[in-house]
Amino acid sequence: MQMTDAPTTAAAGTRAYQSGFGNQFATESVPGALPRGRNSPQRAPLALYPELVSGSAFTAPRHKNRRSWLYRRQPSVVTGRYAPYAHAGWTTGAAGGAIMPPDPLRWSPFPIPDTPADFVDGLHTVAANGDAESQTGMGALVYLANRSMERRALVDADGELLLVPQQGRLVLTTEFGVLDVKPGEIALVPRGTAFKVGLPDGASRGYVCENYGAAFRLPELGPIGSNGLANPRDFLAPVAFAEDGEGRYEIVRKFGGRLWRASQTHTPFNVVAWHGNLTACKYDTATFMTIGSISFDHPDPSIFTVLTSPSDTPGTANCDFVIFPPRWLVMEDTFRPPWYHRNLMSEFMGLVYGQYDAKPEGFKPGGASLHNCMVPHGPDEDSFERATSGDLKPHKLDGTLAFMFESRYRFVPTAFALRGRAEGGTIDGDYTDCWQGLQDRFPGHR
């Protein structure tokens, strides 16, 4: 049974979801588990423990306030003491990076290891900025995993996590319920939420944004109007689910840029009912309503923003999550690929599947690129030639999905990211060669 302010929809198989972004949901896996008319009665129904999870300050404006009440078999305070957990690959903020020149960077697909690694152990920070303690900036990571987490859960107190699968489906079991997430979909896990990752297809690879700043929200639409881009109804939240089975669980907690581990005698996924607007959710990028030019030129890539984490400067994001999905190009007398540019915002890009139109040869699914603040970049030589000499008939970019984590702060790549081929790294040492054939064609040039 579930109750919600938004319709409940069914996904593939028997999994049920609640529809909407930031809605006031209410869901119970056992009838009568939710209290009526109050949040914390003297004795909660079914001898459950009420527990409040606040995703914003208590006095945040009502429309920005995020919180949920969980009714669980045991509260989350019932756990053992934490001890340090070594994890060299998952660093935090700009302080975890290495010194580098202002070069554009690109990586071939990151290989999935042969040695056992679940989602936690398979996380590697590629680049990061800001500082988790001051709640600014973000980390761009890859996960390279080959086994499910089983009796293990992760809690990230440093930031919310945006997961972008590239290879293999994920089954996310969270305190709020279960999400099935396939490549082409994304998942959002709130800061401080316990979750584990199952790999039904075996080895899996993907990208993660660890957002230390303001929680992701839907961008304002401005002159676009009331419809377009990512529609709230297409975000799906789980229904309440309490995991069966007894036995010990390991809890891995990220806190202050370090990882810690503790053991407890019960599952953390014991929430029988919950209500509120703070929850994990997923989104299918195929439902994104793409907007573009139908005359000439093309608008800024902000029209492809799915979610935004604002900063203290209006219009300047701590992080934007931007996608480049299948779409029609119909502009006349227009250089259709992205123009050559230098931006204030820094761009970390990944490719889920297909080809990226500005660099179809060197940018592969499972790889990444980084173009920092004011670092010049744009189409490679071949793409420029095709764009300037091709027939400008309507053309559909199909079978492709690229994305970008865009931030106002400069990304600092990690030692993991800067490893050469001899050290097992995938950095493309010849990336800048793709522009060297762009000649001076000015008529007066000698």
Side-chain angles (χ1 to χ4, degrees):
M1 173 183 180
Q2 63 272 338
M3 297 162 290
T4 173
D5 287 353
T8 299
T9 61
T14 59
R15 196 81 70 197
Y17 297 102
Q18 305 173 94
S19 170
F21 187 86
N23 284 19
Q24 293 289 342
F25 296 112
T27 172
E28 54 186 9
S29 60
V30 176
L34 271 176
R36 299 297 188 266
R38 65 203 65 222
N39 295 321
S40 184
Q42 184 180 20
R43 287 184 293 276
L46 306 180
L48 297 171
Y49 292 87
E51 182 174 299
L52 174 65
V53 181
S54 296
S56 57
F58 296 133
T59 54
R62 180 185 286 263
H63 71 283
K64 295 182 179 179
N65 206 293
R66 293 289 181 266
R67 65 91 180 96
S68 284
W69 281 91
L70 281 56
Y71 302 91
R72 55 197 318 155
R73 292 159 58 181
Q74 287 178 276
S76 58
V77 295
V78 184
T79 189
R81 291 189 176 184
Y82 282 90
Y85 182 65
H87 194 315
W90 191 355
T91 63
T92 304
I99 297 174
M100 65 154 291
D103 291 327
L105 299 178
R106 183 168 66 187
W107 292 268
S108 299
F110 297 91
I112 301 172
D114 295 325
T115 54
D118 63 13
F119 179 83
V120 174
D121 293 333
L123 281 169
H124 299 273
T125 306
V126 180
N129 56 36
D131 174 63
E133 295 292 356
S134 62
Q135 297 185 359
T136 58
M138 56 152 291
L141 301 88
V142 291
Y143 66 85
L144 309 166
N146 53 34
R147 67 175 180 176
S148 299
M149 288 176 64
E150 305 299 345
R151 306 289 292 182
R152 199 182 200 201
L154 173 63
V155 180
D156 190 345
D158 286 347
E160 69 177 329
L161 296 176
L162 173 63
L163 279 59
V164 186
Q166 185 271 319
Q167 174 183 318
R169 294 171 298 157
L170 306 180
V171 177
L172 298 186
T173 303
T174 79
E175 294 179 82
F176 301 97
V178 182
L179 298 169
D180 292 319
V181 190
K182 66 180 186 296
E185 296 179 326
I186 62 170
L188 196 60
V189 180
R191 182 193 302 259
T193 298
F195 72 101
K196 68 177 180 179
V197 179
L199 307 180
D201 300 329
S204 182
R205 175 175 58 201
Y207 309 87
V208 178
C209 172
E210 184 182 16
N211 175 24
Y212 318 133
F216 277 116
R217 63 193 67 175
L218 295 175
E220 300 298 332
L221 294 179
I224 292 174
S226 59
N227 300 284
L229 308 189
N231 293 303
R233 63 176 247 177
D234 294 322
F235 287 82
L236 300 179
V239 297
F241 163 79
E243 185 178 59
D244 293 328
E246 299 180 355
R248 302 199 73 82
Y249 247 91
E250 181 182 62
I251 309 298
V252 178
R253 182 178 293 268
K254 187 163 184 287
F255 181 79
R258 293 178 172 86
L259 269 71
W260 306 81
R261 71 198 308 173
S263 179
Q264 61 188 47
T265 60
H266 61 282
T267 174
F269 309 114
N270 59 6
V271 177
V272 181
W274 64 271
H275 77 84
N277 61 356
L278 178 72
T279 180
C281 63
K282 73 168 189 171
Y283 173 74
D284 187 346
T285 61
T287 64
F288 187 82
M289 180 182 165
T290 308
I291 291 174
S293 171
I294 55 173
S295 56
F296 59 87
D297 289 345
H298 52 89
D300 296 329
S302 50
I303 59 168
F304 298 114
T305 302
V306 179
L307 294 167
T308 184
S309 163
S311 74
D312 57 1
T313 303
T316 307
N318 177 74
C319 177
D320 280 336
F321 174 63
V322 178
I323 64 172
F324 302 100
R327 60 200 183 276
W328 279 95
L329 302 179
V330 300
M331 303 85 79
E332 298 176 322
D333 189 23
T334 295
F335 183 79
R336 289 180 176 178
W339 51 75
Y340 297 102
H341 56 289
R342 293 170 290 162
N343 289 343
L344 172 70
M345 303 291 281
S346 296
E347 304 171 356
F348 177 90
M349 181 172 282
L351 185 61
V352 178
Y353 55 80
Q355 291 184 334
Y356 181 57
D357 60 324
K359 297 182 184 69
E361 300 303 323
F363 191 37
K364 302 296 183 184
S369 67
L370 174 60
H371 303 114
N372 259 320
C373 171
M374 295 301 164
V375 171
H377 56 289
D380 60 24
E381 179 185 357
D382 291 341
S383 297
F384 177 84
E385 294 296 339
R386 284 193 295 269
T388 54
S389 60
D391 182 5
L392 291 183
K393 62 184 178 181
H395 169 65
K396 186 175 185 181
L397 290 175
D398 209 355
T400 181
L401 178 63
F403 73 89
M404 189 162 62
F405 300 146
E406 188 177 66
S407 177
R408 68 173 298 180
Y409 306 108
R410 181 175 63 89
F411 285 103
V412 182
T414 61
F416 165 83
L418 296 179
R419 295 178 306 161
R421 302 282 180 175
E423 303 168 290
T426 65
I427 193 165
D428 182 354
D430 299 323
Y431 180 30
T432 57
D433 290 351
C434 74
W435 294 294
Q436 300 312 308
L438 296 168
Q439 299 296 318
D440 185 344
R441 301 181 181 185
F442 185 64
H445 172 70
R446 294 185 181 181

